[in-house]
Short mmCIF file of all heavy atoms in Angstrom, two decimals:
data_model
loop_
_atom_site.label_atom_id
_atom_site.label_comp_id
_atom_site.label_asym_id
_atom_site.label_seq_id
_atom_site.Cartn_x
_atom_site.Cartn_y
_atom_site.Cartn_z
N GLU A 135 -57.36 24.46 43.51
CA GLU A 135 -56.39 24.16 42.37
C GLU A 135 -55.82 22.77 42.55
O GLU A 135 -55.30 22.13 41.69
CB GLU A 135 -55.28 25.12 42.20
CG GLU A 135 -55.74 26.49 41.77
CD GLU A 135 -56.00 26.58 40.27
OE1 GLU A 135 -55.52 25.68 39.54
OE2 GLU A 135 -56.72 27.45 39.87
N ILE A 138 -49.81 23.36 45.00
CA ILE A 138 -49.05 24.32 45.85
C ILE A 138 -48.79 25.61 45.20
O ILE A 138 -48.32 25.54 44.04
CB ILE A 138 -47.72 23.73 46.44
CG1 ILE A 138 -47.93 22.41 47.12
CG2 ILE A 138 -46.90 24.70 47.08
CD1 ILE A 138 -46.73 21.54 47.48
N SER A 139 -49.16 26.68 45.86
CA SER A 139 -48.78 27.94 45.24
C SER A 139 -47.68 28.63 45.89
O SER A 139 -47.46 28.43 47.10
CB SER A 139 -49.98 28.95 45.31
OG SER A 139 -50.22 29.39 46.65
N TRP A 153 -47.28 27.84 40.37
CA TRP A 153 -47.96 26.64 40.75
C TRP A 153 -47.14 25.33 40.64
O TRP A 153 -46.70 25.07 39.61
CB TRP A 153 -49.29 26.45 39.95
CG TRP A 153 -50.24 27.59 40.15
CD1 TRP A 153 -50.58 28.64 39.34
CD2 TRP A 153 -51.15 27.69 41.23
NE1 TRP A 153 -51.48 29.51 39.87
CE2 TRP A 153 -51.94 28.95 41.10
CE3 TRP A 153 -51.46 27.08 42.40
CZ2 TRP A 153 -52.88 29.39 41.94
CZ3 TRP A 153 -52.36 27.49 43.24
CH2 TRP A 153 -53.11 28.66 43.04
N ARG A 160 -43.60 15.91 44.09
CA ARG A 160 -43.18 14.62 44.58
C ARG A 160 -41.80 14.29 43.94
O ARG A 160 -40.97 13.47 44.56
CB ARG A 160 -44.13 13.52 44.18
CG ARG A 160 -45.39 13.65 45.05
CD ARG A 160 -46.55 12.62 44.59
NE ARG A 160 -45.96 11.33 44.43
CZ ARG A 160 -45.66 10.47 45.34
NH1 ARG A 160 -45.85 10.76 46.67
NH2 ARG A 160 -45.29 9.21 45.19
N ARG A 178 -32.12 20.89 62.01
CA ARG A 178 -33.26 20.57 61.31
C ARG A 178 -34.43 20.57 62.23
O ARG A 178 -35.46 20.99 61.87
CB ARG A 178 -33.07 19.05 60.66
CG ARG A 178 -32.41 19.04 59.41
CD ARG A 178 -32.39 17.75 58.86
NE ARG A 178 -31.22 16.88 59.52
CZ ARG A 178 -31.33 15.56 59.67
NH1 ARG A 178 -32.19 14.95 59.17
NH2 ARG A 178 -30.40 14.97 60.30
N ASP A 194 -50.18 29.28 55.07
CA ASP A 194 -49.17 30.02 54.47
C ASP A 194 -47.86 30.02 55.26
O ASP A 194 -47.86 29.88 56.45
CB ASP A 194 -49.57 31.56 54.52
CG ASP A 194 -50.75 31.91 53.75
OD1 ASP A 194 -50.96 31.12 52.69
OD2 ASP A 194 -51.47 32.87 53.84
N ILE A 209 -30.96 29.80 65.19
CA ILE A 209 -32.15 30.26 64.69
C ILE A 209 -32.90 31.38 65.64
O ILE A 209 -32.78 31.25 66.79
CB ILE A 209 -33.21 29.01 64.64
CG1 ILE A 209 -32.60 27.98 63.84
CG2 ILE A 209 -34.56 29.39 64.24
CD1 ILE A 209 -32.70 28.23 62.31
N SER A 225 -52.36 39.60 38.75
CA SER A 225 -50.98 39.11 38.83
C SER A 225 -50.78 37.87 37.95
O SER A 225 -51.64 36.99 37.85
CB SER A 225 -50.50 38.70 40.24
OG SER A 225 -50.33 39.85 40.95
N ILE A 233 -37.69 22.47 37.54
CA ILE A 233 -37.04 23.24 38.53
C ILE A 233 -35.48 22.74 38.47
O ILE A 233 -35.13 21.59 38.67
CB ILE A 233 -37.50 22.85 39.99
CG1 ILE A 233 -39.13 23.23 39.97
CG2 ILE A 233 -36.83 23.60 41.04
CD1 ILE A 233 -39.83 22.76 41.25
N ARG A 247 -39.09 27.12 36.20
CA ARG A 247 -39.36 27.32 34.83
C ARG A 247 -40.62 26.82 34.35
O ARG A 247 -41.25 25.84 34.93
CB ARG A 247 -38.23 26.73 33.92
CG ARG A 247 -36.93 27.15 34.21
CD ARG A 247 -35.74 26.53 33.33
NE ARG A 247 -35.48 25.27 33.74
CZ ARG A 247 -35.39 24.29 32.94
NH1 ARG A 247 -35.63 24.22 31.61
NH2 ARG A 247 -35.05 22.99 33.41
N ALA A 253 -39.79 34.24 31.78
CA ALA A 253 -38.59 34.33 32.45
C ALA A 253 -38.51 33.35 33.66
O ALA A 253 -39.59 33.24 34.32
CB ALA A 253 -38.36 35.76 33.02
N GLY A 270 -42.41 23.79 55.15
CA GLY A 270 -43.66 24.33 54.62
C GLY A 270 -44.29 23.60 53.43
O GLY A 270 -45.57 23.42 53.51
N VAL A 271 -43.34 23.02 52.68
CA VAL A 271 -43.80 22.20 51.60
C VAL A 271 -44.56 20.89 52.24
O VAL A 271 -45.51 20.37 51.83
CB VAL A 271 -42.70 21.73 50.59
CG1 VAL A 271 -43.17 20.69 49.60
CG2 VAL A 271 -42.26 23.06 49.85
N GLN A 273 -45.96 20.66 55.09
CA GLN A 273 -47.28 20.98 55.63
C GLN A 273 -48.27 21.09 54.50
O GLN A 273 -49.43 20.72 54.66
CB GLN A 273 -47.23 22.33 56.32
CG GLN A 273 -46.39 22.34 57.65
CD GLN A 273 -46.97 21.35 58.60
OE1 GLN A 273 -48.28 21.37 58.81
NE2 GLN A 273 -46.12 20.58 59.32
N ALA A 296 -21.29 15.23 50.41
CA ALA A 296 -21.30 16.22 49.23
C ALA A 296 -22.48 15.81 48.37
O ALA A 296 -22.48 14.84 47.53
CB ALA A 296 -20.03 15.89 48.49
#
Side-chain angles (χ1 to χ4, degrees):
E135 292 284 338
I138 296 173
S139 70
W153 294 102
R160 289 176 47 78
R178 279 186 279 153
D194 293 341
I209 299 293
S225 291
I233 304 170
R247 298 182 285 132
V271 172
Q273 292 298 322

